[in-house]
Amino acid sequence: MEKIVIIGANHGGTAAINTILTNYPNKKVVVFDKNSNVSFLGCGMALWIGKQIDSPEGLFYSSKEKLENNGAKVYMETEVFHIDYINKLVYGRDKNGNEIIEDYDKLILSTGSLPIDLNIPGSKLENVQFVKLYQHAEDVIKKLENKKIKNIVVVGAGYIGVELAEAFKRCEKNVTLVDLASSSLTGYYDENFRDLMNENLKNHGINLRFSERLLKLEGNENNQVTKVITDKNEYDVDMVILAVGFIPNSKLAQDHLKLFKNNAILVDSYQQTSDQDVYAIGDCGTIYDNAIEDVNYIALATNAVRTGIVAAHNACGTELKGIGVQGSNGISIFGLNMVSTGLTYERALKLGFDAEYVEHTDLQKPGFIKNNNDVTLRIVYDKISRRILGAQIASKEDISMGIHVFSLAIQEKVTIDKFKLLDIFFLPHFNQPYNYFTMAALGAK
């Protein structure tokens, strides 16, 4: 019986495992994971910390028991420390120090990503936290029970940093958000959208400190963090969250497999690496970006799931080509919902596109409807080919599903002109007769 070994059992790994067990009963599946749990929805950590959900149970959708009941052999709390790619052997060590060796016919790497360690003075002080794993969130929640923890600095104003800033504010803490960039959510949105989020954060009491470089952290005689030092200010703190981003966890691949410029494992559209018997999925590998029509690194749980499915079928002998991604993403902070896909206007220009954008703001529904909010849509497109490169939407309405049509448009190379007469239904309960999709497209030059 052919054996497939999977290293890592979070989103990508779990998707691959379930795909194989469901579709290929003639395959043997062996799983290694160094954590004590699988399938943790890290995107829900801020909801748990901010008391918007009562417990973390719903953040798990699988377990060692479920996977084993379906036929997999699962080694939990077992870290893989070496792979012999020539002889096809995986070496792991469990929490008791026992060495485990498994051979393989096909190998799927789902080792994920690691939080960036700034390695600055004071980064190892007590109450200086990463927040990525379940254990990180659990540790933060326990520490928040200490009433002496009042002042929290979050370093990094990307998605996770902004979500955690909201969570801590919901816990009635004094929150300062620090970033080297000039705004929150850089890379995801253009300036006017970022301004909406910045204003939203300020209005809810978050102290925003942008264009500041973190230099060091200082502590007291008990080795607890007490001060954040930047190149412009000093902040008294009781807790510091380091959320400056992630890097691919590709250590096991570096001596054998081809890597991308950021050390992610380079894969093709079948998730196959430079070794024909090895596949890489999720945050540890690259992915094809339809917006730029090239290989890219986009670390998202949704991408991990899709790549896990693709790799599983190919590893089992069924050819399945991935169709690429657009990097679709979203965030909801204090009732402000923002979603985006593809390229921002700013990034499109940096990448050399002859880009333009069109923007439209209007009420979601006709004016006679109560409980009605503005929606702002920006569509980014290429002036020469006319194809849509990206889109951003912001509103207090739930406009999240609207971004999917633009994701599909980028994937299928739809032009901005096609959107001018796109068949969009109208019903006052949902939208306007002159829908903002249509009105934005009609405004394109």
Side-chain angles (χ1 to χ4, degrees), residues 82-91 103-105 107 252 255-257 274-278:
H82 177 65
I83 300 172
D84 181 345
Y85 292 98
I86 305 302
N87 296 301
K88 295 187 174 182
L89 296 172
V90 173
Y91 293 80
D103 64 310
Y104 67 85
D105 294 292
L107 176 66
L252 291 170
D255 294 332
H256 180 69
L257 303 178
S274 53
D275 183 326
Q276 65 177 3
D277 293 320
V278 181

Side-chain angles (χ1 to χ4, degrees), residues 95-298:
K95 63 179 179 180
N96 297 317
N98 301 311
E99 189 173 290
I100 298 164
I101 304 173
E102 289 279 358
D103 64 310
Y104 67 85
D105 294 292
K106 301 292 183 182
L107 176 66
I108 298 177
L109 300 175
S110 180
T111 49
S113 57
L114 300 169
I116 294 173
D117 190 344
L118 295 177
N119 196 28
I120 58 169
S123 63
K124 306 306 178 186
L125 288 166
E126 182 71 18
N127 294 338
V128 178
Q129 306 279 151
F130 291 121
V131 181
K132 178 173 172 61
L133 304 176
Y134 165 80
Q135 291 88 342
H136 293 152
E138 184 180 44
D139 190 33
V140 166
I141 288 170
K142 286 180 180 178
K143 289 180 177 180
L144 290 177
E145 294 174 0
N146 182 352
K147 302 301 182 184
K148 292 183 179 179
I149 294 183
K150 298 178 181 179
N151 301 307
I152 300 177
V153 168
V154 178
V155 182
Y159 268 173
I160 293 175
V162 169
E163 289 171 342
L164 290 172
E166 178 197 29
F168 292 130
K169 196 64 187 179
R170 288 182 181 274
C171 293
E172 300 181 337
K173 305 301 179 182
N174 300 318
V175 183
T176 299
L177 185 60
V178 176
D179 200 294
L180 179 61
S182 60
S183 174
S184 67
L185 307 183
T186 55
Y188 297 102
Y189 299 95
D190 284 317
E191 184 176 12
N192 61 327
F193 283 80
R194 299 197 301 267
D195 288 346
L196 288 174
M197 182 56 73
N198 294 341
E199 191 66 23
N200 181 43
L201 292 167
K202 283 193 292 186
N203 289 342
H204 286 88
I206 308 294
N207 181 26
L208 303 181
R209 296 294 180 178
F210 297 134
S211 301
E212 292 193 21
R213 181 185 296 275
L214 179 63
L215 298 179
K216 63 178 180 177
L217 307 173
E218 294 181 352
N220 58 20
E221 63 277 3
N222 297 319
N223 205 41
Q224 295 174 326
V225 68
T226 57
K227 195 177 291 290
V228 170
I229 311 294
T230 74
D231 58 349
K232 295 179 181 176
N233 288 292
E234 297 184 3
Y235 306 99
D236 293 328
V237 294
D238 304 301
M239 180 181 284
V240 175
I241 304 297
L242 299 178
V244 296
F246 300 96
I247 56 174
N249 182 14
S250 59
K251 184 178 179 181
L252 291 170
Q254 288 177 359
D255 294 332
H256 180 69
L257 303 178
K258 289 183 179 179
L259 303 179
F260 192 50
K261 57 188 177 183
N262 70 334
N263 282 335
I265 302 167
L266 195 63
V267 299
D268 61 15
S269 295
Y270 303 91
Q271 301 306 132
Q272 194 172 49
T273 70
S274 53
D275 183 326
Q276 65 177 3
D277 293 320
V278 181
Y279 299 80
I281 61 179
D283 290 6
C284 69
T286 59
I287 199 162
Y288 188 82
D289 184 342
N290 288 315
I292 66 172
E293 298 180 307
D294 202 354
V295 173
N296 203 352
Y297 181 71
I298 305 175

Side-chain angles (χ1 to χ4, degrees), residues 317-360:
T318 302
E319 186 174 293
L320 179 63
K321 185 178 181 180
I323 59 176
V325 301
Q326 291 68 248
S328 303
N329 59 87
I331 192 167
S332 180
I333 301 294
F334 296 120
L336 175 61
N337 307 309
M338 292 173 56
V339 290
S340 73
T341 190
L343 303 178
T344 63
Y345 176 64
E346 294 167 3
R347 184 154 181 261
L349 292 179
K350 287 180 180 178
L351 290 172
F353 287 95
D354 189 3
E356 186 56 87
Y357 70 86
V358 62
E359 191 168 301
H360 186 76

